[in-house]
Amino acid sequence: MNPNKLLGSEDKVNSQNHELEQMDLLFDQLFPICRSITGSGVRKTLEILSEKIPRLEVKGVKSGAKVFDWEIPKEWRIHEAWLKGPDGKTIVDLENHNLHIVNYSVPVDQKIPLQTLQGNLYTNKNLPDAIPYVISYYRPRWGFCMTYNEYEKLTDGVYHAYINSELVDGELNYGHAILKGETDKEILISSYICHPSMANNELSGPVVATFLHQRLAQWKKRRFTYRFVFVPETIGSITYLHQHGNDVKQNIHTGMVLTCLGGNRPLSYKMSRNENAPINHIVQHVIKTKSLEAVVRPFTPIHGSDERQYSSPGFNLPIGQMSRMVYGNYPEYHTSLDNKGLMGIESLLKSVNEIELILRAIELDGYYVNQCPYGEVKLDKHGLYPDINEKGTGLVTQKEQLNKILMLLNYADGEHSLTEIAEKCNCTILDLESIVMLLKDKDLIKGPFIEKRGLTT
Amino acid sequence: MNPNKLLGSEDKVNSQNHELEQMDLLFDQLFPICRSITGSGVRKTLEILSEKIPRLEVKGVKSGAKVFDWEIPKEWRIHEAWLKGPDGKTIVDLENHNLHIVNYSVPVDQKIPLQTLQGNLYTNKNLPDAIPYVISYYRPRWGFCMTYNEYEKLTDGVYHAYINSELVDGELNYGHAILKGETDKEILISSYICHPSMANNELSGPVVATFLHQRLAQWKKRRFTYRFVFVPETIGSITYLHQHGNDVKQNIHTGMVLTCLGGNRPLSYKMSRNENAPINHIVQHVIKTKSLEAVVRPFTPIHGSDERQYSSPGFNLPIGQMSRMVYGNYPEYHTSLDNKGLMGIESLLKSVNEIELILRAIELDGYYVNQCPYGEVKLDKHGLYPDINEKGTGLVTQKEQLNKILMLLNYADGEHSLTEIAEKCNCTILDLESIVMLLKDKDLIKGPFIEKRGLTT
Amino acid sequence: MNPNKLLGSEDKVNSQNHELEQMDLLFDQLFPICRSITGSGVRKTLEILSEKIPRLEVKGVKSGAKVFDWEIPKEWRIHEAWLKGPDGKTIVDLENHNLHIVNYSVPVDQKIPLQTLQGNLYTNKNLPDAIPYVISYYRPRWGFCMTYNEYEKLTDGVYHAYINSELVDGELNYGHAILKGETDKEILISSYICHPSMANNELSGPVVATFLHQRLAQWKKRRFTYRFVFVPETIGSITYLHQHGNDVKQNIHTGMVLTCLGGNRPLSYKMSRNENAPINHIVQHVIKTKSLEAVVRPFTPIHGSDERQYSSPGFNLPIGQMSRMVYGNYPEYHTSLDNKGLMGIESLLKSVNEIELILRAIELDGYYVNQCPYGEVKLDKHGLYPDINEKGTGLVTQKEQLNKILMLLNYADGEHSLTEIAEKCNCTILDLESIVMLLKDKDLIKGPFIEKRGLTT
């Protein structure tokens, strides 16, 4: 679906243009921060997000704490880092780009001949103008990343490698915000905040999450409670599960990880490992009924983002992952070329629109129960039916609505979900929204219920 | 299957010719009656059917009684109705055709200019020689129906519309007949009796039901009890469910609504909403195994006959609907052109034959249990097997029977239905009838049982 | 898969050459014995097998004993049998071929004209050089079998038919051997020993069973206990079930009947009637994942071997049947042309190799449970992961192993079988063997378990 179709009115267009500007500003605030899985970059990022999400609660877990099979690492603090050539000129400097340093580099202040130094230099020959993104969180290393073109120009001689960093007892930080709905059943929306200065594979996630939060906060009502989670990838979601996993497991209805949501490609959904995940069914439904143009990827624990943790076998949470220009599937991935121009801010707005549509469908889905289930409802009595059978009384336009009413009343038996009913009607679940509201207003149906329930229950 | 194949002997051909004559006579008795959903037309119809079905019990429910979401309407009595032109000549007269009056018209005696009158005149431009069938049960209206050709000839002037009708407190009538079988489990056969002077879309149903009743009454034994129901459509089946729904729900095995069973087309089965309905499985089986030429339609609550009520979500009875020239799928539907010539009496005989075959299959189906289930049965000991393995001992013709015996004994485990076994044998369930009888005679199997049962139960 | 691939080393090739010689010797010992369903032939056969399978226990059940719907017949003893022509010359003599006599012939010593004699002569016109194999276990008959070419030469005159046989109270014999494993859960391997002097349709089964037993006895460990059964076909397996059926039913995990395992064709598996039979799943898996070239036949109770008894509805054991050149599907079946040359000893070795592979897969399959199921396992901590994300660190060869580790840990949830996990990895279950061992060594997984078990159980 063209996202503009979701807007419909000039007001909405203006509102979306405003959102686009706000997204752009937020992006520019977050981009220059030198994030890692711990340290001030994460804290600064959470502070900026708090301005948009006032209820965002920021937490920390101390270095050395055990989190399942893992341990919170020491906090990395980076103050200064540069490499100077034999002639004393600066080759690379952290000041110029956050990717120049291997993330979590230990301190060094050494004069080294080029040959020895080469083990500490990282380039990407396939993209000779790109600075690659390299990390070494769990084994002490240091190193510099540079474009292959610069690297090629290096001449023999002694270089000066200087990294002023610390690995100190500190904490790992994350943030979460709970947006209350009518029920305690939760929808989890998680993104990560640990990559320095990359666009698609970092900021697309938290920016989309932030603006999705704003949309949901404005909804007139929410059936579900929404839990927004911002964590460093992997160790952060493991920590989150360690601290809040029981709560999440108990309350969760469904959810998604947001990652790499920029680019011109259609929305790409990675299925939840949990085959009963409502989001699996909804996404397949909206695609099948052409409510949304999107593609589906199977679940795999091999590649991906934090859904790998949420889908670890002890949790197996019913969440999927939303992406667009998928990690590993574009050459600029994990390099300095993954920037705002490549990503495109408009694609983030499109992602917000499309994910909001999916959430609306999830809110609407469930099992409904006809309150007059014995024999047909006498529709005319409830103002729902023409009372003469003759052709040509101008009811043609009402006919489709009438058919949907008959289908919905018949299948509102507590056993057929609204997506199933929509597919029997050859329409999308959102096409039934107005009829559901009408029949609820007239007390002819109750619902939605999450679980199946026999009519007599 | 050619219905003649079901006959086989000259006796049967004669018997069927006799049936055909009887059907024709019954049709001619019932056709002229001015039926509606209430009133003397229904009562007269039930009286005539009682002559063929002596055990038919006729009942009534008072006007004003609540039946689920509905209310029994006042009884409509129509005495006289005509429209005269400006020159005093009769344009249409109820005496000439029951369809000339809008069914349930309120009384009127008025002189009206043509222009005003037109809102009360109904025609069918696509079939200019047909009188359309129009009803207005639940909103007070009056009107006349006429051919479009006659309508075109009307000239300006003042017309005299005269309808001598009454809407009085009376009752809604229906009839049912129970044909006892070996068990209390019931097969419901329902048809409607509320349309005046139409053939396929009215009389085909009750005529087929009546002669089916005669056939079943002559069967040597019936495993199931048969419940024949004759009701006004919609309000009548709702009333029936209101009065007898609990009994029906408790005892029903399966069943069918009979409607529009005339015409040259193959039998057309509308699936039961209830996916476990035995009749769904049997009809698909007899089609798949080429025992019967028939087509299948999906269930829908949008169009149809009384299966819409029986399939309302509070009942969800395991019944389907049998038709041939389906309502709405032939141009003469709901007009005076739906007459005996269009329908064809022979097609009703064919319907009786085919539905009887389906009922025989339902009687035979179920779960059978081998009484010697440990190791193979020693067939020769029971007179079921050749006792030498040499080729050419003239047993070729017995070979297929032997294979069916082996299949039946092996799968008579209380877990595989006879239709499943037949399909494993690449035959139709009725091809196994003689083997079932043989093995039952020898006490090698027991059954049929309706429910699965493990061998040790 | 080329069976040589299963060997891999020169040692194994030598070991298999040795096996081939041993098979050939065993075959030659067993071939000349005049077996029937009872009598000294069966006992002699079991005695020879005992030399290879020291733990083989030989049992007998008395003539006249009831075994389910059957009765143990009298024991047949055959001492001498010949037919002489009008000129006194010997036409056929049991001394020359065991198939010359109708198995279970009653005694006779009679001079008969050719015309009368013909009812007692059996030939196979389609294979004019073959002596057909004819039996008459359960009805008293006598007769001679001969080639059609010899039969054609017979001239009119009086013949002397002489059969010195006895039908005496004796016993029906069978043997079984239990090879203990870590658990009491059993895998049943059954073959038959009742046909005289035929190769594919007799000796291929017990020879393969014997050498399979030797292989399994040499395995370092067996998860399952193996029950090897040698019985006369049909009456023998019925007797076995009568004597041991409860034990078998209680302990069985899965199993197979071995029959007709010679010839050049690929392995041919007849599905178990019991759809939950582990062997059904494993065989389909190894075929699907190209671990083995084999074909699958559906279950039928009409043709086959002892699986017909094991699959009788009162037992419905989870066993299939292994074959290669299937009974009834080669012209030499049930004739003297079914000999060693037709069968090929090498094909038996191939059968042993392939069935051993299937058994290894069954041993490995089951449900495994991750012992660190919350969040991902920190692989580097367990020596299972590279600790830097840079490309080109020579880990390409480890990549596939790493992916399999991630898949296995994620799906080792007690709900996904190892075959399912292998198929998600696009590999065969045996490709996961080393990883399973590695992860078990590191206490990261437990299993295999036969039943599903939730992680929290």
Side-chain angles (χ1 to χ4, degrees):
Chain A
M1 179 184 274
N2 183 328
N4 294 325
K5 272 182 138 177
L6 292 170
L7 309 177
S9 75
E10 203 176 319
D11 274 6
K12 285 199 178 165
V13 172
N14 289 338
S15 142
Q16 297 221 340
N17 284 340
H18 179 71
E19 267 180 314
L20 209 54
E21 283 165 29
Q22 296 293 315
M23 281 179 174
D24 201 54
L25 286 171
L26 179 61
F27 181 93
D28 290 347
Q29 270 184 291
L30 296 170
F31 191 79
I33 300 170
C34 185
R35 273 172 295 273
S36 181
I37 53 173
T38 58
S40 62
V42 176
R43 283 189 288 271
K44 187 77 195 291
T45 300
L46 288 166
E47 194 186 315
I48 293 168
L49 294 177
S50 300
E51 291 164 21
K52 296 282 180 186
I53 307 175
R55 63 175 66 77
L56 188 71
E57 194 183 357
V58 177
K59 303 228 178 183
V61 177
K62 292 267 177 289
S63 297
K66 287 276 292 171
V67 285
F68 301 125
D69 200 38
W70 299 57
E71 190 181 308
I72 304 293
K74 284 188 188 291
E75 192 175 311
W76 183 58
R77 297 186 185 162
I78 179 71
H79 307 295
E80 189 180 354
W82 43 254
L83 177 69
K84 290 188 179 166
D87 57 0
K89 280 194 188 159
T90 299
I91 312 283
V92 298
D93 191 328
L94 178 61
E95 292 258 313
N96 295 328
H97 205 296
N98 286 325
L99 296 189
H100 275 317
I101 191 164
V102 169
N103 205 299
Y104 255 71
S105 280
V106 296
V108 70
D109 185 0
Q110 234 180 306
K111 309 231 165 142
I112 321 174
L114 179 59
Q115 216 176 332
T116 315
L117 178 66
Q118 275 173 340
N120 298 82
L121 298 183
Y122 299 92
T123 64
N124 181 338
K125 199 172 176 177
N126 294 325
L127 284 179
D129 284 325
I131 309 163
Y133 165 60
V134 181
I135 58 171
S136 181
Y137 300 144
Y138 301 108
R139 187 168 146 195
R141 279 201 184 85
W142 64 265
F144 292 97
C145 305
M146 61 202 308
T147 70
Y148 185 75
N149 284 340
E150 288 296 322
Y151 171 79
E152 278 284 277
K153 291 183 210 151
L154 300 184
T155 54
D156 275 349
V158 173
Y159 287 70
H160 187 181
Y162 179 77
I163 298 178
N164 177 3
S165 68
E166 293 171 275
L167 283 155
V168 299
D169 281 335
E171 58 182 26
L172 178 141
N173 301 102
Y174 61 86
H176 69 168
I178 308 289
L179 192 58
K180 278 281 178 197
E182 291 173 348
T183 69
D184 288 339
K185 275 287 176 190
E186 288 184 0
I187 294 179
L188 174 78
I189 292 172
S190 176
S191 197
Y192 52 83
I193 45 166
C194 57
H195 300 72
S197 303
M198 284 180 288
N200 184 53
N201 178 36
E202 170 72 5
L203 292 179
S204 69
V207 171
V208 167
T210 301
F211 284 80
L212 208 48
H213 179 277
Q214 286 199 348
R215 292 270 183 97
L216 299 185
Q218 286 160 23
W219 279 6
K220 276 178 207 140
K221 62 173 212 164
R222 289 174 298 276
R223 177 178 164 208
F224 295 106
T225 291
Y226 287 80
R227 179 186 289 258
F228 284 82
V229 174
F230 299 91
V231 286
E233 210 174 10
T234 306
I235 180 70
S237 49
I238 289 168
T239 303
Y240 193 81
L241 285 169
H242 186 264
Q243 305 295 98
H244 307 279
N246 285 345
D247 281 2
V248 169
K249 197 164 181 175
Q250 192 179 313
N251 291 324
I252 196 159
H253 177 62
T254 194
M256 63 184 92
V257 166
L258 305 183
T259 175
C260 296
L261 279 159
N264 268 326
R265 306 182 191 169
L267 203 64
S268 170
Y269 174 68
K270 178 177 173 180
M271 297 285 280
S272 178
R273 179 188 188 282
N274 186 323
E275 289 168 11
N276 298 319
I279 191 167
N280 277 8
H281 300 301
I282 283 289
V283 171
Q284 289 177 309
H285 169 76
V286 296
I287 291 174
K288 185 175 172 183
T289 58
K290 299 197 162 58
S291 181
L292 196 68
E293 185 203 357
V295 297
V296 161
R297 287 166 288 148
F299 174 77
T300 169
I302 296 175
H303 312 285
S305 182
D306 291 317
E307 75 283 355
R308 289 164 58 178
Q309 309 312 322
Y310 296 127
S311 300
S312 56
F315 287 107
N316 194 28
L317 299 179
I319 67 155
Q321 180 227 74
M322 290 293 170
S323 188
R324 193 174 282 284
M325 189 162 63
V326 178
Y327 44 83
N329 273 334
Y330 59 103
E332 301 86 353
Y333 174 67
H334 270 192
T335 76
S336 58
L337 300 183
D338 182 351
N339 55 32
K340 186 158 78 172
L342 180 80
M343 177 189 81
I345 284 288
E346 313 72 25
S347 64
L348 303 194
L349 181 61
K350 199 173 175 195
S351 294
V352 170
N353 287 337
E354 292 176 346
I355 296 168
E356 188 186 17
L357 178 146
I358 289 166
L359 292 174
R360 277 176 53 217
I362 291 172
E363 290 265 330
L364 191 60
D365 197 19
Y367 299 96
Y368 291 83
V369 182
N370 184 331
Q371 301 299 297
C372 292
Y374 302 103
E376 285 184 350
V377 170
K378 192 155 193 304
L379 296 180
D380 57 347
K381 178 175 141 187
H382 303 276
L384 296 167
Y385 199 67
D387 57 359
I388 189 166
N389 74 334
E390 198 248 345
K391 291 172 190 169
T393 41
L395 295 164
V396 183
T397 52
Q398 292 174 31
K399 186 75 184 170
E400 271 194 39
Q401 287 298 91
L402 176 61
N403 290 351
K404 287 192 176 96
I405 289 170
L406 287 168
M407 290 294 277
L408 190 44
L409 286 171
N410 188 277
Y411 285 107
D413 58 358
E415 304 277 345
H416 291 85
S417 73
L418 194 62
T419 46
E420 287 178 86
I421 299 173
E423 292 182 17
K424 282 176 184 290
C425 293
N426 287 316
C427 70
T428 179
I429 186 172
L430 294 169
D431 293 337
L432 295 181
E433 194 166 21
S434 60
I435 291 170
V436 165
M437 295 310 148
L438 179 66
L439 296 179
K440 285 187 69 160
D441 274 359
K442 291 179 184 289
D443 290 325
L444 286 171
I445 58 171
K446 281 195 179 163
F449 302 104
I450 287 176
E451 304 289 341
K452 286 191 184 188
R453 54 177 60 198
L455 264 166
T456 52
T457 316
Chain B
M1 179 185 273
N2 183 327
N4 294 325
K5 271 182 140 175
L6 292 170
L7 310 178
S9 76
E10 204 177 318
D11 274 6
K12 284 199 178 163
V13 172
N14 289 336
S15 141
Q16 296 220 339
N17 284 340
H18 179 70
E19 266 180 314
L20 208 53
E21 283 165 29
Q22 296 292 315
M23 280 178 172
D24 202 54
L25 286 170
L26 180 61
F27 181 92
D28 290 347
Q29 271 184 290
L30 295 171
F31 191 78
I33 299 169
C34 185
R35 274 172 293 275
S36 180
I37 53 172
T38 59
S40 63
V42 177
R43 283 188 288 271
K44 186 78 192 294
T45 300
L46 288 167
E47 195 187 315
I48 292 169
L49 293 177
S50 300
E51 291 163 23
K52 296 281 180 186
I53 307 174
R55 61 176 66 77
L56 188 72
E57 196 184 353
V58 176
K59 302 228 178 184
V61 177
K62 292 269 178 287
S63 298
K66 288 275 291 172
V67 285
F68 300 125
D69 200 38
W70 299 57
E71 191 182 307
I72 304 293
K74 285 190 188 290
E75 191 176 312
W76 184 56
R77 296 183 186 163
I78 178 72
H79 305 295
E80 190 181 352
W82 45 253
L83 177 69
K84 289 189 180 166
D87 56 2
K89 280 193 190 161
T90 299
I91 312 283
V92 298
D93 190 327
L94 179 61
E95 292 259 312
N96 295 328
H97 205 296
N98 286 325
L99 295 189
H100 275 316
I101 191 165
V102 169
N103 206 300
Y104 256 71
S105 279
V106 296
V108 70
D109 184 0
Q110 235 180 305
K111 309 233 166 142
I112 321 174
L114 179 59
Q115 216 175 333
T116 315
L117 179 65
Q118 276 173 340
N120 299 80
L121 298 182
Y122 299 92
T123 64
N124 180 339
K125 201 171 176 178
N126 294 326
L127 285 179
D129 285 325
I131 309 163
Y133 165 60
V134 181
I135 57 172
S136 182
Y137 299 144
Y138 301 108
R139 186 167 147 195
R141 278 202 184 85
W142 64 266
F144 293 97
C145 305
M146 61 201 309
T147 70
Y148 185 75
N149 284 340
E150 288 297 321
Y151 171 78
E152 278 285 72
K153 290 185 211 149
L154 299 184
T155 53
D156 274 350
V158 174
Y159 287 71
H160 186 181
Y162 178 77
I163 297 178
N164 178 1
S165 69
E166 292 171 275
L167 284 156
V168 298
D169 281 335
E171 58 183 25
L172 178 142
N173 301 101
Y174 62 86
H176 69 168
I178 307 290
L179 192 58
K180 277 280 176 196
E182 290 172 349
T183 68
D184 288 340
K185 275 287 177 189
E186 289 185 358
I187 294 180
L188 174 78
I189 292 172
S190 176
S191 197
Y192 52 84
I193 46 166
C194 58
H195 300 72
S197 304
M198 284 180 287
N200 184 54
N201 179 36
E202 169 72 5
L203 292 179
S204 70
V207 171
V208 167
T210 301
F211 284 80
L212 208 49
H213 179 276
Q214 286 198 348
R215 292 268 182 97
L216 300 185
Q218 286 160 22
W219 279 6
K220 277 177 206 141
K221 63 173 212 163
R222 288 175 297 277
R223 178 179 164 207
F224 296 107
T225 291
Y226 287 81
R227 180 185 288 257
F228 284 83
V229 173
F230 299 92
V231 285
E233 209 174 10
T234 305
I235 180 70
S237 50
I238 289 168
T239 302
Y240 192 81
L241 285 168
H242 187 263
Q243 304 295 97
H244 308 279
N246 285 345
D247 280 2
V248 169
K249 196 162 182 177
Q250 190 178 315
N251 291 324
I252 196 158
H253 177 62
T254 193
M256 63 184 91
V257 166
L258 305 183
T259 175
C260 296
L261 279 159
N264 270 325
R265 306 180 191 170
L267 203 65
S268 170
Y269 174 67
K270 178 178 171 179
M271 298 286 280
S272 177
R273 179 188 186 282
N274 185 322
E275 289 169 11
N276 298 319
I279 191 165
N280 277 8
H281 300 301
I282 283 288
V283 172
Q284 289 177 308
H285 170 74
V286 295
I287 292 174
K288 184 175 172 183
T289 58
K290 297 198 164 56
S291 182
L292 196 69
E293 186 203 355
V295 296
V296 160
R297 287 166 287 149
F299 175 76
T300 170
I302 295 175
H303 311 285
S305 182
D306 290 317
E307 76 282 356
R308 289 163 57 177
Q309 309 311 322
Y310 297 128
S311 301
S312 55
F315 288 107
N316 194 27
L317 299 179
I319 68 155
Q321 181 228 73
M322 288 292 170
S323 189
R324 194 173 280 284
M325 188 162 64
V326 178
Y327 45 84
N329 273 335
Y330 59 104
E332 301 86 353
Y333 174 67
H334 271 191
T335 77
S336 58
L337 300 184
D338 182 351
N339 55 31
K340 186 158 77 169
L342 179 80
M343 176 188 80
I345 284 288
E346 313 71 28
S347 63
L348 303 194
L349 181 61
K350 199 173 174 194
S351 293
V352 170
N353 287 337
E354 292 176 346
I355 295 169
E356 189 186 16
L357 178 147
I358 289 166
L359 292 173
R360 277 175 54 216
I362 291 171
E363 289 266 329
L364 192 60
D365 197 19
Y367 299 95
Y368 292 83
V369 181
N370 184 331
Q371 300 300 297
C372 292
Y374 302 103
E376 284 186 350
V377 169
K378 192 156 191 304
L379 295 180
D380 57 348
K381 179 176 140 187
H382 302 277
L384 296 168
Y385 198 68
D387 57 357
I388 189 167
N389 76 333
E390 198 247 345
K391 290 173 189 169
T393 42
L395 294 164
V396 183
T397 53
Q398 293 174 31
K399 186 75 184 171
E400 271 195 37
Q401 288 298 90
L402 176 61
N403 290 350
K404 287 191 176 100
I405 288 170
L406 288 167
M407 290 293 278
L408 190 44
L409 285 171
N410 187 276
Y411 285 108
D413 58 358
E415 305 276 345
H416 291 84
S417 73
L418 194 62
T419 45
E420 287 177 87
I421 299 173
E423 291 182 17
K424 283 176 183 289
C425 293
N426 287 317
C427 70
T428 179
I429 186 172
L430 294 169
D431 293 338
L432 296 181
E433 193 166 21
S434 59
I435 290 170
V436 165
M437 295 310 148
L438 179 67
L439 296 180
K440 285 188 71 162
D441 274 358
K442 291 179 185 288
D443 290 326
L444 287 171
I445 58 171
K446 281 194 179 162
F449 302 103
I450 287 176
E451 304 288 341
K452 287 191 184 187
R453 54 177 61 198
L455 265 165
T456 53
T457 317
Chain C
M1 180 184 272
N2 184 329
N4 294 325
K5 272 182 137 175
L6 292 170
L7 310 177
S9 75
E10 202 175 320
D11 274 5
K12 283 198 179 164
V13 171
N14 288 338
S15 143
Q16 296 221 339
N17 285 339
H18 179 69
E19 266 180 316
L20 208 54
E21 283 165 28
Q22 296 292 315
M23 280 180 174
D24 201 54
L25 287 170
L26 179 61
F27 182 93
D28 291 346
Q29 271 183 289
L30 295 171
F31 191 79
I33 300 170
C34 186
R35 274 172 294 274
S36 180
I37 53 173
T38 59
S40 62
V42 177
R43 283 188 289 270
K44 187 78 193 293
T45 301
L46 289 167
E47 196 186 314
I48 293 169
L49 294 177
S50 301
E51 292 164 21
K52 296 281 181 186
I53 308 175
R55 61 176 65 77
L56 188 72
E57 195 184 353
V58 177
K59 302 228 177 182
V61 177
K62 292 267 178 288
S63 298
K66 288 275 293 172
V67 285
F68 300 124
D69 200 38
W70 300 58
E71 191 181 306
I72 304 293
K74 285 187 187 292
E75 191 175 311
W76 184 58
R77 295 182 186 165
I78 179 72
H79 307 295
E80 189 180 352
W82 44 252
L83 177 69
K84 288 186 182 170
D87 56 2
K89 281 193 188 159
T90 299
I91 313 284
V92 299
D93 191 328
L94 178 61
E95 293 258 312
N96 295 328
H97 205 295
N98 286 325
L99 296 189
H100 275 318
I101 191 164
V102 169
N103 206 299
Y104 256 71
S105 280
V106 295
V108 69
D109 184 1
Q110 235 179 305
K111 308 232 168 144
I112 321 175
L114 179 60
Q115 218 178 329
T116 314
L117 178 65
Q118 277 173 338
N120 298 84
L121 298 182
Y122 300 92
T123 63
N124 181 339
K125 201 171 174 177
N126 294 326
L127 285 179
D129 285 324
I131 309 163
Y133 166 59
V134 182
I135 59 171
S136 182
Y137 300 143
Y138 300 107
R139 185 168 147 194
R141 277 201 185 87
W142 64 266
F144 292 98
C145 305
M146 61 201 310
T147 70
Y148 185 75
N149 284 339
E150 289 297 321
Y151 171 79
E152 277 284 277
K153 289 184 210 149
L154 299 185
T155 55
D156 275 350
V158 173
Y159 286 70
H160 187 179
Y162 178 78
I163 297 178
N164 178 3
S165 68
E166 293 171 275
L167 284 155
V168 299
D169 282 335
E171 56 182 27
L172 177 142
N173 301 101
Y174 62 85
H176 68 169
I178 308 290
L179 192 57
K180 279 280 177 197
E182 291 173 349
T183 70
D184 289 339
K185 275 287 176 190
E186 288 185 359
I187 294 179
L188 174 77
I189 292 172
S190 177
S191 196
Y192 51 85
I193 45 167
C194 58
H195 299 71
S197 304
M198 284 181 286
N200 184 53
N201 179 37
E202 170 73 5
L203 293 179
S204 69
V207 171
V208 167
T210 300
F211 284 80
L212 208 48
H213 179 276
Q214 286 199 348
R215 292 269 183 96
L216 301 186
Q218 287 162 21
W219 279 5
K220 277 178 206 142
K221 62 172 212 165
R222 289 175 297 279
R223 177 178 164 208
F224 295 106
T225 290
Y226 287 81
R227 178 185 289 258
F228 284 82
V229 174
F230 300 91
V231 286
E233 208 174 11
T234 305
I235 181 71
S237 50
I238 289 168
T239 302
Y240 192 81
L241 286 169
H242 187 263
Q243 303 295 98
H244 308 279
N246 285 345
D247 280 3
V248 170
K249 197 163 181 176
Q250 191 180 314
N251 290 326
I252 195 159
H253 178 62
T254 193
M256 63 184 91
V257 166
L258 304 182
T259 176
C260 297
L261 279 160
N264 270 325
R265 307 183 191 167
L267 203 65
S268 170
Y269 174 68
K270 178 178 171 181
M271 298 285 280
S272 178
R273 179 188 186 282
N274 185 322
E275 289 168 11
N276 297 320
I279 191 166
N280 278 8
H281 300 301
I282 283 289
V283 172
Q284 290 178 308
H285 170 75
V286 294
I287 292 173
K288 184 174 172 184
T289 58
K290 297 198 164 58
S291 180
L292 196 67
E293 185 203 355
V295 296
V296 161
R297 287 166 287 147
F299 175 76
T300 169
I302 295 174
H303 312 286
S305 182
D306 290 317
E307 75 282 357
R308 288 164 57 178
Q309 309 311 322
Y310 297 128
S311 300
S312 55
F315 288 107
N316 193 29
L317 299 178
I319 66 156
Q321 181 228 73
M322 289 293 171
S323 189
R324 193 173 280 285
M325 189 162 63
V326 179
Y327 44 85
N329 273 335
Y330 59 103
E332 301 85 353
Y333 174 67
H334 271 190
T335 76
S336 58
L337 300 184
D338 182 351
N339 55 32
K340 186 158 78 172
L342 179 80
M343 177 189 80
I345 284 288
E346 313 71 27
S347 63
L348 303 194
L349 181 61
K350 199 174 174 195
S351 294
V352 170
N353 287 337
E354 292 175 347
I355 295 169
E356 188 186 16
L357 178 147
I358 290 166
L359 292 173
R360 277 175 54 216
I362 291 172
E363 290 265 330
L364 191 60
D365 197 19
Y367 299 95
Y368 292 83
V369 182
N370 184 332
Q371 301 299 297
C372 291
Y374 303 103
E376 285 184 352
V377 169
K378 192 156 193 301
L379 296 179
D380 57 347
K381 177 175 141 186
H382 302 277
L384 296 167
Y385 198 69
D387 57 356
I388 188 166
N389 75 335
E390 198 246 343
K391 290 172 192 171
T393 41
L395 294 164
V396 182
T397 53
Q398 293 175 30
K399 186 76 184 170
E400 271 194 38
Q401 287 298 90
L402 175 62
N403 290 351
K404 287 192 176 96
I405 289 170
L406 287 167
M407 289 294 277
L408 190 44
L409 286 171
N410 188 276
Y411 285 108
D413 58 359
E415 305 276 346
H416 290 84
S417 73
L418 194 62
T419 46
E420 287 177 87
I421 299 173
E423 292 182 17
K424 283 177 183 286
C425 292
N426 287 317
C427 71
T428 179
I429 186 172
L430 294 168
D431 293 337
L432 296 181
E433 194 166 20
S434 60
I435 290 170
V436 164
M437 295 311 148
L438 179 67
L439 297 180
K440 285 188 70 162
D441 275 358
K442 292 180 184 287
D443 290 325
L444 287 170
I445 58 172
K446 282 195 177 161
F449 303 104
I450 287 176
E451 305 289 340
K452 287 190 184 186
R453 53 177 63 198
L455 266 166
T456 52
T457 315

